Amino acid sequence: MLTVSAVIPTYNSARTLSRAIDSVLRQTVPVSVIVVDDGSNDETPALLERYGSRITVIRQHNAGAGAARSAGTRAARTDLIAYLDADDAWHPDKLEKQLDAFRDPEVGLCGAASQWIDAGGAVLRVYNPSISGYITREMLARNYIVTSSAIVRRAHIERLSTLFKPELFPVEDWEVWVRLSTVCKIVVSPEVLVDYHVLPGSGTRTRTVADFKRLYGTVIEQFGNEPILRDIMKTEEKRVRSNLHFFAAYMYYEEGSYRQFLAELFHSARLAPFSHPWANSLAMLLLPRNVRERARRFVGRLRRRQEIGSSSSGPISDGAHL
């Protein structure tokens, strides 16, 4: 049986860290736990001490989630490495359900569906992409891997020249998944195995739309200069940049900045009219944000109940399509 380590980067996350660690310790298969304390100055050190020998703790000066995740990756000595953010949680059978994918020696990354949960515990939506194989082109256009669902094969990720680049936070995970996709197959499990907690103070929400655009733009430029990605980027760059503008439009829509939303949506459709996500765009154009949010929450709860009620129901559509 393949051995697994869980890597949990944490910075001042004492409020949610126990939930994350406990969800790993409750897994139905053996797993080593590596927590990388990225210079926390809250109650995190004391909390970690209470776990004793059940976990391995690495402490470093604050250098960002990417640096912490890389430190945990380098410390792992198992066949597989699974990542979990300190504010998220795994379902008890998460690892067991995903391990089957690694029977194929060409699979180097496995993700899973997740349910997005707000601060009150309500399910916002179910994110359930269905994709597998050598999917570099698809990964360039969209990040299909929720970091807290990701398991990588150590033999594959060690082939990369660098790991998670902290200066690219919070898109450093996508940048790694794209590079990893050039050397291995990727599989995304259709089952909901992760609770992704959408909290006001989470790292990604401290970034502005301008930050995201700048960071994505930086990564796109880097990909265009990498020999293994250069030819793909020549044919895919318009579609990749179209998706960047669409993501920016979505962020502006969520914060109620409708003039910027319309401008980004126009740029997205102009760059790649045939691959633009028109269903999502029309929903945002036709529905006020508060109405769409209520509908999305309702469908997220409904689809989650359907998945729990019938394991043979097949993949659930991405709730973001409302």
Side-chain angles (χ1 to χ4, degrees):
M1 183 177 178
L2 294 171
T3 55
V4 190
S5 292
V7 171
I8 307 174
T10 183
Y11 174 70
N12 289 349
S13 302
R15 182 166 55 94
T16 61
L17 182 57
S18 287
R19 179 178 64 201
I21 295 174
D22 292 346
S23 77
V24 177
L25 295 175
R26 285 196 295 266
Q27 291 298 297
T28 56
V29 296
V31 54
S32 303
V33 184
I34 300 172
V35 180
V36 184
D37 183 2
D38 188 39
S40 297
N41 53 31
D42 64 352
E43 296 78 22
T44 293
L47 183 153
L48 293 174
E49 285 183 9
R50 294 200 289 269
Y51 284 93
S53 61
R54 290 183 291 170
I55 66 174
T56 298
V57 178
I58 298 172
R59 291 190 168 89
Q60 63 180 34
H61 293 295
N62 182 243
R69 205 172 283 121
S70 294
T73 302
R74 288 190 292 268
R77 292 294 178 265
T78 49
D79 302 309
L80 306 175
I81 304 164
Y83 300 107
L84 175 61
D85 288 345
D87 50 2
D88 297 333
W90 289 346
H91 294 195
D93 56 353
K94 189 260 187 191
L95 293 180
E96 183 179 357
K97 293 274 179 76
Q98 289 181 279
L99 286 180
D100 280 347
F102 290 95
R103 291 180 180 177
D104 181 347
E106 294 185 30
V107 171
L109 169 60
C110 180
S114 62
Q115 56 182 1
W116 295 36
I117 298 175
D118 68 11
V123 176
L124 295 172
R125 68 181 176 104
V126 172
Y127 179 64
N128 192 333
S130 180
I131 195 165
S132 64
Y134 288 99
I135 55 170
T136 300
R137 292 180 188 275
E138 291 84 353
M139 287 298 299
L140 280 167
R142 179 181 178 187
N143 186 2
Y144 290 92
I145 307 294
V146 173
T147 303
S148 288
S149 79
I151 305 177
V152 300
R153 196 186 297 270
R154 186 159 63 94
H156 282 110
I157 200 165
E158 285 180 343
R159 294 172 63 183
L160 303 184
S161 56
T162 57
L163 295 177
F164 301 91
K165 301 173 183 178
E167 68 273 15
L168 297 178
F169 175 82
V171 302
E172 80 279 12
D173 54 346
W174 171 63
E175 192 266 350
V176 168
W177 309 149
V178 171
R179 287 190 288 125
L180 198 55
S181 74
T182 66
V183 300
C184 66
K185 288 181 182 177
I186 294 177
V187 174
V188 180
S189 169
E191 285 193 72
V192 175
L193 301 175
V194 175
D195 290 342
Y196 175 83
H197 289 266
V198 183
L199 304 175
S202 62
T204 55
R205 290 180 173 253
T206 63
R207 293 291 195 177
T208 66
V209 184
D211 289 333
F212 274 100
K213 289 182 67 177
R214 175 179 55 81
L215 290 165
Y216 270 109
T218 298
V219 174
I220 291 169
E221 293 295 332
Q222 290 179 6
F223 287 159
N225 292 323
E226 289 201 19
I228 199 165
L229 288 167
R230 190 178 297 141
D231 289 342
I232 294 177
M233 284 300 298
K234 285 179 181 177
T235 60
E236 297 293 321
E237 185 168 359
K238 281 190 176 181
R239 187 160 72 105
V240 174
R241 292 192 179 277
S242 171
N243 278 277
L244 166 59
H245 284 293
F246 177 77
F247 185 57
Y250 177 80
M251 293 181 72
Y252 279 130
Y253 173 86
E254 289 290 298
E255 68 179 33
S257 301
Y258 292 107
R259 180 176 295 179
Q260 294 95 323
F261 157 66
L262 291 172
E264 294 291 346
L265 203 61
F266 170 78
H267 289 307
S268 174
R270 178 180 58 83
L271 281 170
F274 298 109
S275 62
H276 179 81
W278 290 105
N280 284 354
S281 296
L282 289 173
M284 289 188 287
L285 286 167
L286 296 174
L287 293 176
R289 189 180 66 85
N290 61 335
V291 174
R292 182 172 178 267
E293 183 65 21
R294 287 197 298 270
R296 190 170 63 181
R297 286 175 184 241
F298 172 76
V299 172
R301 290 193 298 270
L302 180 63
R303 288 175 173 168
R304 178 60 180 142
R305 288 196 201 103
Q306 290 173 340
E307 190 211 43
I308 293 172
S310 174
S311 60
S312 62
S313 59
I316 303 171
S317 298
D318 183 352
H321 284 269
L322 281 172

